[in-house]
Structure formats: C-alpha cells, structure tokens
Amino acid sequence: MPVQVSASDVVYDGAIWNVRRDSFDYNGASITREYIDHPGAVAVLALDEQDRVLLIKQYRHPTGLRGWELPAGLLDIAGENAVVGAQRELAEEADVVATEWALLTEFYTTPGGSNEAIRIYLARGVSAIAAFDRTHEEADIEPRWVSLDACVDAVLARRVSNPILMVGILAAQVARSRGWSALAPADSPWPRHPRSSGSRSLHITS
C-alpha cells in the first residue's frame, strides 16, 4: 500500500544535494521526516587481468581523512545514463577506460537519512589513458592496484572504512567465487534510483 505524502518541501537547497521535509501518513499517524535528497551515484570496481582492484585515495572533508575508495561520483548531469556516468568517473578520477562492463551490486547508502542509491559496476578489459586535469579534492588523488584478496583482508581487518569500497569488494569476492555468474547487464533497469519514476510509491495528496 503506497504511503500518502501530504506535503514535501525543500528546506535547504545545497550546492551538491538538498534537504527535503516530507509529511506523510503511516500506521494511522501523521509523520514528518527530513532527509538528504540525493541525485544518486555510481562507483566502479575495475579489475585487471591479475585480479587486482583499482583503488584511489582521496580527501573527504566531512571526516577530514584521506582514505582508500573506489572511483565514484554523483549522477548530477541531467539525462546522463548511469553506465556512461560510471565510465566518465573512471576516466576522470583514475585515467582508466574499460571494454567490459557489468552490474556488480546496488544499495541505499543511508536509508534512514538519505534516498541516495548507488550502483557499483565491475569493469574489466582495462587500459590507461592520458591523465585528466583534476582540481579541488581530486587534484591529489593517489591510485593503486591491489589484489582482490588483499582488499578482502583489509575489509575484514577493518583497515578500510569506506562503505562503497567494502560492499564492492565483498560483492566481487562472492561473485568471483561463483564464476561471475551473478553479474547483471550493466544497463539493467534501476527502479531504486531516486530519480526513477518507480523508485518510490509515494503520492502527493495536497
């Protein structure tokens, strides 16, 4: 049964994402919740012929740390296909392109406080391209190729803390153990995306 939204307003219009306030009826009560209204994101687990994963180290201001993560970015270009966005991020952040793309996994990053949905793609058939001219936090990105097994060890030993990296690494480890048979086509429908018409069963009633 769809949740009936009686009001929905942007209470903070941010540079990258907004904060939205919804009022809705649920279990006979009127509830108001605020959450980050996010455009969605993509990440890439690039794997070479030696089963090495491409990691990047990047500064993230909310934590004040430079940590290891997968190449990733927002889907903030209007009308851009998610796979194209992933290919763009891989090239811009790591100077790498790939010939084989598949959908590895997808998830909501913080379902209690954000509608951010992210897809992680598996990219193979990788090769280097000319260096991209990066700025701001991306100017000093440090790339490194690390074996998938070593990445799994780092996740289990709590030496990395980026959730996208952790989910992607563990998903890749399981997918590899099953001969990559669980992979979906890269262009699979994405109903959970926040900008998808089928992502939320909500109806504005006033």
Side-chain angles (χ1 to χ4, degrees), residues 39-112:
V42 288
V44 184
L45 193 149
L47 196 68
D48 70 7
E49 294 179 352
Q50 302 174 52
D51 274 2
R52 296 184 305 171
V53 179
L54 176 59
L55 305 181
I56 60 172
K57 181 180 280 189
Q58 184 174 358
Y59 176 70
R60 294 299 187 183
H61 188 69
T63 62
L65 300 174
R66 295 184 75 244
W68 292 106
E69 54 189 67
L70 298 177
L74 300 174
L75 289 172
D76 54 358
I77 298 178
E80 183 179 52
N81 181 278
V83 180
V84 174
Q87 294 169 341
R88 172 177 53 80
E89 292 295 341
L90 182 62
E92 291 181 357
E93 293 194 345
D95 308 321
V96 168
V97 293
T99 58
E100 302 174 37
W101 290 81
L103 175 57
L104 182 60
T105 190
E106 64 185 36
F107 63 102
Y108 288 116
T109 58
T110 318

Side-chain angles (χ1 to χ4, degrees), residues 50-181:
Q50 302 174 52
D51 274 2
R52 296 184 305 171
V53 179
L54 176 59
L55 305 181
I56 60 172
K57 181 180 280 189
Q58 184 174 358
Y59 176 70
R60 294 299 187 183
H61 188 69
T63 62
L65 300 174
R66 295 184 75 244
W68 292 106
E69 54 189 67
L70 298 177
L74 300 174
L75 289 172
D76 54 358
I77 298 178
E80 183 179 52
N81 181 278
V83 180
V84 174
Q87 294 169 341
R88 172 177 53 80
E89 292 295 341
L90 182 62
E92 291 181 357
E93 293 194 345
D95 308 321
V96 168
V97 293
T99 58
E100 302 174 37
W101 290 81
L103 175 57
L104 182 60
T105 190
E106 64 185 36
F107 63 102
Y108 288 116
T109 58
T110 318
S114 172
N115 64 358
E116 179 185 10
I118 184 164
R119 272 194 161 175
I120 304 178
Y121 293 93
L122 177 69
R124 290 180 287 187
V126 297
S127 59
I129 59 173
F132 193 83
D133 185 17
R134 288 180 281 272
T135 60
H136 304 300
E137 296 98 330
E138 297 179 350
D140 59 353
I141 280 178
E142 177 187 343
R144 182 177 298 178
W145 289 93
V146 181
S147 74
L148 179 56
D149 290 333
C151 290
V152 172
D153 290 342
V155 170
L156 298 180
R158 302 173 303 283
R159 294 198 301 270
V160 294
S161 57
N162 181 281
I164 299 170
L165 173 62
M166 297 166 73
V167 170
I169 290 299
L170 297 181
Q173 171 76 344
V174 173
R176 182 179 63 174
S177 73
R178 300 180 179 182
W180 305 110
S181 61

Side-chain angles (χ1 to χ4, degrees), residues 24-46:
F24 57 95
D25 298 325
Y26 192 77
N27 285 337
S30 179
I31 301 172
T32 298
R33 293 288 183 266
E34 295 173 349
Y35 59 93
I36 294 174
D37 189 13
H38 197 281
V42 288
V44 184
L45 193 149

